[in-house]
Amino acid sequence: MNRKVFLRNASAIAAACAVMPAWGKELISAKKSFFEISLAQWSLHKKLFAKEIDNLDFPAITKKEFGISVVEYVNVFFKDKAENTQYLNELLKRCKDNGVKNHLIMCDGEGDLGNTDANARIKAVENHYKWVNAAKYLGCATIRVNAAGRGTATEVSDAAAEGLARLGAYAAKEKINVIVENHGGYSSDGSWLSGVMKKVNKSNVGTLPDFGNFCIRRDGNTCAEEYDRYKGTKELMPFAKGVSAKSYNFDDKGNCVETDYEKMLKIVKEAGFNGYVGIEYEGSALSESEGILKTKALLERIQKAI
C-alpha cells in the first residue's frame, strides 16, 4: 500500500469513528474480560433439598432470576438420571428454551479416586464413566471429581494420580475434562494437589480452585488446620480448567468477608486463565438468591476494575 492510499484509508476510518454511535465506540474500546460468570447449582442446595425447586428448574432460574447463562450441575440432584436419555433430553430442552449453556457436572458419592485399595479405586473410576457420558450428552466440557483417599499423603497421592489418569483416559475419548476441587483433606493442600496433577500429566485432567475450601483438618464444625487460600489458589491455577468463587458473608460495601476477591481474581488473571468463574454461595445470613446476587455483583465490579 502506497502512502497516498494509506492516508485515504486512515481518513475514512477516522471519519467513520467520528459519526459512530456512542455504544459502538464503547464496544471497540471495551476490554474483553478474562472470565465469564457461571452458577454452581450448590448455591441453591437448600431449596433443592427442600424440594422447593427441581433440577429441571435450574436452567430457567439461573437465567431469569440471576441473568446468568452458564450452569454447573451437582450430580446428587439427578443421581439416578445419568443414563436416562428422556430426562437428559428434557434438561437440554429447558436449557435451549432459556438460552443456557451446560458447563460441568460436579460428581460426588461415586467412590474415592484416591482409594489405596486398587479394586475399590478401579470401581470408583468406573462409577464415574456414566457422568462422563452424561456430560458429553448434555454438551458439558467437564466433570468435577474428588481426589480423596485414606493413607499417608504419599500413598493417597500415588493412588489419586493412578485413578485420575485412568478416568482421564476414558474421558479423553469423549473429549471431556476431569478436574479436581480442593475439597477437604489432602486435596485442600495446594502443594499436594498440584503434585498429583504433575504425576497425572494429562491435558484433560486439571483442577477447580475453590476460594473457600482450604480446610485440611476439621475438629467438629471448626477448621483445625487451614491452608493459605491465596497460596493454594496460586499453586492450583496452572492446572485450572475452572474456578469456584465461594462466598459466605458480605460487609456493608459488598465485599466478601472471608476472601479478598480482588486479590484472588488477580491471582487468577495473572495465571493466564480464560474461562468460567462459578458462583458458589454457601452463607446463611442471606437467602440463597440474595447471596448469589451479592456474589455476582462483586465479581462484576472487580471484573471491570482489573
Side-chain angles (χ1 to χ4, degrees):
M1 183 184 297
N2 62 41
R3 183 173 181 273
K4 183 177 180 180
V5 173
F6 172 80
L7 291 173
R8 185 170 68 242
N9 289 346
S11 297
I13 292 170
C17 288
V19 298
M20 182 181 291
W23 61 264
K25 293 176 183 177
E26 290 173 3
L27 285 175
I28 288 177
S29 62
K31 62 180 181 180
K32 188 179 185 300
S33 175
F34 64 97
F35 72 90
E36 292 183 56
I37 296 173
S38 54
L39 180 62
Q41 193 173 30
W42 191 253
S43 298
L44 294 166
H45 71 276
K46 294 174 185 176
K47 288 183 178 180
L48 284 156
F49 282 128
K51 306 297 183 184
E52 294 176 25
I53 60 174
D54 179 78
N55 182 61
L56 290 172
D57 302 323
F58 183 48
I61 291 171
T62 299
K63 188 62 174 282
K64 294 176 180 177
E65 187 172 344
F66 307 114
I68 297 172
S69 301
V70 182
V71 293
E72 303 177 4
Y73 298 97
V74 180
N75 71 340
V76 69
F77 299 119
F78 60 122
K79 196 68 180 287
D80 60 341
K81 303 293 196 301
E83 298 172 299
N84 185 330
T85 54
Q86 184 177 353
Y87 181 90
L88 297 180
N89 283 335
E90 178 61 25
L91 187 54
L92 280 170
K93 181 179 181 299
R94 304 282 184 102
C95 291
K96 183 178 180 181
D97 289 346
N98 291 280
V100 169
K101 176 182 178 180
N102 293 324
H103 172 46
L104 72 83
I105 303 174
M106 298 187 179
C107 302
D108 298 307
E110 296 293 359
D112 294 339
L113 294 175
N115 197 312
T116 51
D117 178 275
N119 291 330
R121 184 171 64 252
I122 291 170
K123 175 63 175 172
V125 169
E126 293 173 347
N127 286 345
H128 284 83
Y129 288 173
K130 61 182 176 288
W131 293 110
V132 171
N133 299 337
K136 177 73 172 181
Y137 197 89
L138 290 171
C140 296
T142 305
I143 65 168
R144 188 277 282 146
V145 301
N146 298 296
R150 293 185 179 182
T152 67
T154 299
E155 289 169 343
V156 178
S157 174
D158 289 342
E162 196 278 336
L164 288 165
R166 187 184 292 265
L167 180 57
Y170 179 87
K173 299 173 186 176
E174 304 299 332
K175 297 183 180 178
I176 296 294
N177 297 317
V178 174
I179 59 177
V180 182
E181 182 179 355
N182 45 303
H183 216 190
Y186 294 130
S187 73
S188 287
D189 181 321
S191 177
W192 183 89
L193 186 51
S194 61
V196 171
M197 291 298 113
K198 291 172 185 174
K199 289 179 183 178
V200 176
N201 193 29
K202 283 187 175 294
S203 61
N204 72 317
V205 177
T207 60
L208 177 68
D210 183 303
F211 293 171
N213 276 354
F214 283 100
C215 184
I216 297 173
R217 182 172 57 85
R218 289 191 173 276
D219 184 1
N221 293 325
T222 304
C223 183
E225 182 182 357
E226 186 170 18
Y227 199 80
D228 183 281
R229 66 188 62 200
Y230 307 102
K231 179 176 183 287
T233 299
K234 192 169 185 177
E235 290 169 332
L236 298 180
M237 281 310 303
F239 312 97
K241 297 182 183 296
V243 172
S244 185
K246 180 66 61 62
S247 59
Y248 293 95
N249 299 296
F250 298 87
D251 62 21
D252 56 3
K253 294 182 179 179
N255 293 311
C256 180
V257 173
E258 295 79 18
T259 302
D260 182 335
Y261 262 55
E262 183 170 349
K263 180 177 180 179
M264 196 65 91
L265 286 169
K266 283 181 177 177
I267 291 172
V268 173
K269 184 177 183 180
E270 288 167 3
F273 179 80
N274 283 283
Y276 296 108
V277 173
I279 294 171
E280 192 169 56
Y281 173 70
E282 285 194 16
S284 55
L286 301 172
S287 70
E288 290 179 319
S289 294
E290 290 172 319
I292 291 167
L293 290 171
K294 281 273 192 182
T295 310
K296 183 188 178 192
L298 176 57
L299 285 171
E300 289 175 337
R301 172 158 56 84
I302 297 174
Q303 191 176 45
K304 293 175 182 176
I306 64 172

